[in-house]
mmCIF file of all heavy atoms in Angstrom:
data_model
loop_
_atom_site.group_PDB
_atom_site.id
_atom_site.type_symbol
_atom_site.label_atom_id
_atom_site.label_comp_id
_atom_site.label_asym_id
_atom_site.label_seq_id
_atom_site.Cartn_x
_atom_site.Cartn_y
_atom_site.Cartn_z
ATOM 1 N N GLU B 435 116.474 -128.902 94.085
ATOM 2 C CA GLU B 435 117.845 -129.224 93.680
ATOM 3 C C GLU B 435 118.858 -128.353 94.420
ATOM 4 O O GLU B 435 119.928 -128.823 94.789
ATOM 5 C CB GLU B 435 118.005 -128.979 92.177
ATOM 6 C CG GLU B 435 118.090 -130.259 91.370
ATOM 7 C CD GLU B 435 118.121 -129.950 89.896
ATOM 8 O OE1 GLU B 435 119.036 -129.209 89.474
ATOM 9 O OE2 GLU B 435 117.212 -130.411 89.181
ATOM 10 N N ARG B 438 119.020 -129.355 98.264
ATOM 11 C CA ARG B 438 119.617 -130.675 98.527
ATOM 12 C C ARG B 438 121.119 -130.600 98.696
ATOM 13 O O ARG B 438 121.713 -131.453 99.323
ATOM 14 C CB ARG B 438 119.297 -131.612 97.359
ATOM 15 C CG ARG B 438 118.036 -132.400 97.603
ATOM 16 C CD ARG B 438 118.074 -133.723 96.865
ATOM 17 N NE ARG B 438 116.784 -134.364 97.019
ATOM 18 C CZ ARG B 438 115.871 -134.420 96.060
ATOM 19 N NH1 ARG B 438 116.137 -133.915 94.878
ATOM 20 N NH2 ARG B 438 114.712 -134.992 96.284
ATOM 21 N N PHE S 32 114.176 -142.424 92.632
ATOM 22 C CA PHE S 32 115.238 -141.704 91.914
ATOM 23 C C PHE S 32 115.763 -142.637 90.841
ATOM 24 O O PHE S 32 115.809 -143.851 91.050
ATOM 25 C CB PHE S 32 116.366 -141.294 92.868
ATOM 26 C CG PHE S 32 115.986 -140.159 93.783
ATOM 27 C CD1 PHE S 32 115.889 -140.345 95.157
ATOM 28 C CD2 PHE S 32 115.717 -138.895 93.253
ATOM 29 C CE1 PHE S 32 115.529 -139.295 95.997
ATOM 30 C CE2 PHE S 32 115.368 -137.844 94.097
ATOM 31 C CZ PHE S 32 115.265 -138.045 95.465
ATOM 32 N N TYR S 33 116.125 -142.070 89.707
ATOM 33 C CA TYR S 33 116.554 -142.926 88.600
ATOM 34 C C TYR S 33 118.035 -142.777 88.287
ATOM 35 O O TYR S 33 118.573 -143.420 87.421
ATOM 36 C CB TYR S 33 115.723 -142.600 87.358
ATOM 37 C CG TYR S 33 114.267 -142.929 87.578
ATOM 38 C CD1 TYR S 33 113.378 -141.992 88.080
ATOM 39 C CD2 TYR S 33 113.799 -144.219 87.306
ATOM 40 C CE1 TYR S 33 112.048 -142.296 88.314
ATOM 41 C CE2 TYR S 33 112.470 -144.541 87.535
ATOM 42 C CZ TYR S 33 111.600 -143.578 88.041
ATOM 43 O OH TYR S 33 110.294 -143.910 88.268
ATOM 44 N N ASP S 34 118.667 -141.837 89.028
ATOM 45 C CA ASP S 34 120.052 -141.539 88.721
ATOM 46 C C ASP S 34 120.890 -141.820 89.960
ATOM 47 O O ASP S 34 120.609 -141.245 91.031
ATOM 48 C CB ASP S 34 120.146 -140.061 88.310
ATOM 49 C CG ASP S 34 121.487 -139.721 87.715
ATOM 50 O OD1 ASP S 34 122.081 -140.617 87.088
ATOM 51 O OD2 ASP S 34 121.920 -138.570 87.889
ATOM 52 N N PRO S 35 121.856 -142.656 89.986
ATOM 53 C CA PRO S 35 122.434 -143.387 88.841
ATOM 54 C C PRO S 35 121.666 -144.671 88.503
ATOM 55 O O PRO S 35 121.707 -145.103 87.366
ATOM 56 C CB PRO S 35 123.846 -143.731 89.332
ATOM 57 C CG PRO S 35 123.729 -143.775 90.829
ATOM 58 C CD PRO S 35 122.601 -142.859 91.209
ATOM 59 N N PHE S 38 115.951 -146.310 92.209
ATOM 60 C CA PHE S 38 116.119 -146.467 93.649
ATOM 61 C C PHE S 38 114.888 -145.896 94.330
ATOM 62 O O PHE S 38 114.456 -144.789 94.032
ATOM 63 C CB PHE S 38 117.395 -145.708 94.047
ATOM 64 C CG PHE S 38 117.535 -145.511 95.523
ATOM 65 C CD1 PHE S 38 117.864 -146.580 96.354
ATOM 66 C CD2 PHE S 38 117.341 -144.251 96.091
ATOM 67 C CE1 PHE S 38 117.999 -146.387 97.715
ATOM 68 C CE2 PHE S 38 117.475 -144.063 97.449
ATOM 69 C CZ PHE S 38 117.808 -145.142 98.264
ATOM 70 N N ALA S 40 113.290 -144.147 97.141
ATOM 71 C CA ALA S 40 113.710 -143.316 98.270
ATOM 72 C C ALA S 40 112.613 -143.199 99.316
ATOM 73 O O ALA S 40 112.891 -143.009 100.492
ATOM 74 C CB ALA S 40 114.116 -141.930 97.785
ATOM 75 N N GLY S 58 115.971 -140.379 111.542
ATOM 76 C CA GLY S 58 116.407 -141.557 110.795
ATOM 77 C C GLY S 58 117.847 -141.370 110.391
ATOM 78 O O GLY S 58 118.384 -140.257 110.437
ATOM 79 N N LYS S 59 118.479 -142.470 109.990
ATOM 80 C CA LYS S 59 119.878 -142.400 109.599
ATOM 81 C C LYS S 59 120.036 -141.538 108.357
ATOM 82 O O LYS S 59 119.084 -141.308 107.625
ATOM 83 C CB LYS S 59 120.405 -143.814 109.304
ATOM 84 C CG LYS S 59 120.507 -144.699 110.520
ATOM 85 C CD LYS S 59 121.517 -145.820 110.215
ATOM 86 C CE LYS S 59 121.565 -146.816 111.350
ATOM 87 N NZ LYS S 59 120.465 -147.827 111.261
ATOM 88 N N SER S 60 121.240 -141.117 108.146
ATOM 89 C CA SER S 60 121.537 -140.351 106.939
ATOM 90 C C SER S 60 121.198 -141.191 105.706
ATOM 91 O O SER S 60 121.530 -142.375 105.659
ATOM 92 C CB SER S 60 123.026 -139.979 106.936
ATOM 93 O OG SER S 60 123.308 -139.234 105.790
ATOM 94 N N GLY S 61 120.484 -140.611 104.789
ATOM 95 C CA GLY S 61 120.093 -141.329 103.574
ATOM 96 C C GLY S 61 118.812 -142.117 103.722
ATOM 97 O O GLY S 61 118.396 -142.825 102.813
ATOM 98 N N SER S 62 118.125 -141.961 104.856
ATOM 99 C CA SER S 62 116.896 -142.728 105.056
ATOM 100 C C SER S 62 115.694 -142.121 104.349
ATOM 101 O O SER S 62 114.631 -142.724 104.288
ATOM 102 C CB SER S 62 116.613 -142.852 106.559
ATOM 103 O OG SER S 62 116.511 -141.558 107.129
ATOM 104 N N GLY S 63 115.833 -140.890 103.827
ATOM 105 C CA GLY S 63 114.752 -140.288 103.036
ATOM 106 C C GLY S 63 114.029 -139.156 103.729
ATOM 107 O O GLY S 63 112.972 -138.720 103.263
ATOM 108 N N LYS S 64 114.599 -138.632 104.804
ATOM 109 C CA LYS S 64 113.931 -137.564 105.554
ATOM 110 C C LYS S 64 113.745 -136.306 104.696
ATOM 111 O O LYS S 64 112.639 -135.768 104.584
ATOM 112 C CB LYS S 64 114.757 -137.195 106.802
ATOM 113 C CG LYS S 64 115.081 -138.371 107.721
ATOM 114 C CD LYS S 64 115.858 -137.939 108.926
ATOM 115 C CE LYS S 64 117.271 -137.433 108.621
ATOM 116 N NZ LYS S 64 118.188 -138.481 108.104
ATOM 117 N N SER S 65 114.848 -135.856 104.105
ATOM 118 C CA SER S 65 114.767 -134.642 103.290
ATOM 119 C C SER S 65 113.850 -134.860 102.105
ATOM 120 O O SER S 65 113.015 -134.013 101.769
ATOM 121 C CB SER S 65 116.155 -134.244 102.788
ATOM 122 O OG SER S 65 116.980 -133.914 103.881
ATOM 123 N N THR S 66 113.983 -136.021 101.483
ATOM 124 C CA THR S 66 113.148 -136.336 100.327
ATOM 125 C C THR S 66 111.666 -136.245 100.697
ATOM 126 O O THR S 66 110.868 -135.663 99.967
ATOM 127 C CB THR S 66 113.492 -137.746 99.814
ATOM 128 O OG1 THR S 66 114.902 -137.792 99.568
ATOM 129 C CG2 THR S 66 112.747 -138.070 98.538
ATOM 130 N N LEU S 67 111.333 -136.790 101.849
ATOM 131 C CA LEU S 67 109.941 -136.727 102.303
ATOM 132 C C LEU S 67 109.522 -135.271 102.542
ATOM 133 O O LEU S 67 108.453 -134.843 102.112
ATOM 134 C CB LEU S 67 109.775 -137.547 103.595
ATOM 135 C CG LEU S 67 108.399 -137.447 104.275
ATOM 136 C CD1 LEU S 67 107.306 -137.938 103.317
ATOM 137 C CD2 LEU S 67 108.359 -138.260 105.574
ATOM 138 N N ASP S 187 114.345 -128.325 107.563
ATOM 139 C CA ASP S 187 115.254 -129.422 107.239
ATOM 140 C C ASP S 187 116.543 -129.194 108.010
ATOM 141 O O ASP S 187 117.360 -128.370 107.625
ATOM 142 C CB ASP S 187 115.518 -129.481 105.730
ATOM 143 C CG ASP S 187 116.220 -130.778 105.338
ATOM 144 O OD1 ASP S 187 116.566 -131.565 106.251
ATOM 145 O OD2 ASP S 187 116.422 -130.995 104.134
ATOM 146 N N GLU S 188 116.689 -129.894 109.111
ATOM 147 C CA GLU S 188 117.809 -129.727 110.029
ATOM 148 C C GLU S 188 118.053 -128.248 110.340
ATOM 149 O O GLU S 188 119.137 -127.719 110.101
ATOM 150 C CB GLU S 188 119.064 -130.366 109.439
ATOM 151 C CG GLU S 188 118.776 -131.813 109.035
ATOM 152 C CD GLU S 188 120.034 -132.652 108.902
ATOM 153 O OE1 GLU S 188 121.052 -132.266 109.478
ATOM 154 O OE2 GLU S 188 119.958 -133.696 108.247
ATOM 155 N N VAL S 219 112.931 -131.980 110.233
ATOM 156 C CA VAL S 219 113.906 -133.067 110.114
ATOM 157 C C VAL S 219 115.043 -132.753 111.064
ATOM 158 O O VAL S 219 115.496 -131.610 111.136
ATOM 159 C CB VAL S 219 114.444 -133.150 108.672
ATOM 160 C CG1 VAL S 219 115.634 -134.096 108.598
ATOM 161 C CG2 VAL S 219 113.333 -133.565 107.709
ATOM 162 N N HIS S 221 118.763 -134.341 113.195
ATOM 163 C CA HIS S 221 119.737 -135.349 113.576
ATOM 164 C C HIS S 221 119.898 -135.409 115.087
ATOM 165 O O HIS S 221 120.484 -136.323 115.630
ATOM 166 C CB HIS S 221 121.114 -134.957 112.992
ATOM 167 C CG HIS S 221 121.431 -135.715 111.772
ATOM 168 N ND1 HIS S 221 121.762 -135.092 110.584
ATOM 169 C CD2 HIS S 221 121.455 -137.047 111.513
ATOM 170 C CE1 HIS S 221 121.985 -136.001 109.665
ATOM 171 N NE2 HIS S 221 121.805 -137.193 110.202
ATOM 172 N N LEU S 235 112.298 -142.798 110.090
ATOM 173 C CA LEU S 235 112.357 -143.399 108.759
ATOM 174 C C LEU S 235 113.568 -144.307 108.662
ATOM 175 O O LEU S 235 114.605 -144.041 109.269
ATOM 176 C CB LEU S 235 112.486 -142.314 107.689
ATOM 177 C CG LEU S 235 111.282 -141.417 107.400
ATOM 178 C CD1 LEU S 235 111.664 -140.422 106.305
ATOM 179 C CD2 LEU S 235 110.078 -142.227 106.956
HETATM 180 N N1 ADP H 5 118.475 -136.081 93.465
HETATM 181 C C1 ADP H 5 118.757 -137.326 93.812
HETATM 182 N N2 ADP H 5 119.078 -138.238 92.901
HETATM 183 C C2 ADP H 5 119.336 -139.512 93.252
HETATM 184 N N3 ADP H 5 119.300 -139.953 94.513
HETATM 185 C C3 ADP H 5 118.982 -139.100 95.488
HETATM 186 C C4 ADP H 5 118.688 -137.736 95.198
HETATM 187 N N4 ADP H 5 118.386 -137.094 96.359
HETATM 188 C C5 ADP H 5 118.496 -138.036 97.333
HETATM 189 N N5 ADP H 5 118.848 -139.213 96.817
HETATM 190 C C6 ADP H 5 119.001 -140.451 97.557
HETATM 191 O O1 ADP H 5 117.809 -140.706 98.260
HETATM 192 C C7 ADP H 5 118.101 -141.183 99.551
HETATM 193 C C8 ADP H 5 117.445 -140.317 100.585
HETATM 194 O O2 ADP H 5 118.105 -139.083 100.612
HETATM 195 P P1 ADP H 5 117.702 -137.931 101.610
HETATM 196 O O3 ADP H 5 116.256 -137.758 101.601
HETATM 197 O O4 ADP H 5 118.527 -136.733 101.317
HETATM 198 O O5 ADP H 5 118.182 -138.573 102.986
HETATM 199 P P2 ADP H 5 118.282 -137.895 104.387
HETATM 200 O O6 ADP H 5 117.775 -136.507 104.318
HETATM 201 O O7 ADP H 5 117.436 -138.766 105.264
HETATM 202 O O8 ADP H 5 119.715 -137.980 104.794
HETATM 203 C C9 ADP H 5 119.608 -141.230 99.680
HETATM 204 O O9 ADP H 5 120.042 -142.532 99.413
HETATM 205 C C10 ADP H 5 120.098 -140.312 98.598
HETATM 206 O O10 ADP H 5 121.336 -140.750 98.115
#
Side-chain angles (χ1 to χ4, degrees):
Chain B
E435 253 175 58
R438 268 208 186 105
Chain S
F32 287 114
Y33 296 91
D34 191 31
F38 167 73
K59 292 202 185 83
S60 181
S62 58
K64 305 181 293 293
S65 296
T66 306
L67 174 60
D187 192 355
E188 307 200 21
V219 170
H221 259 125
L235 289 180

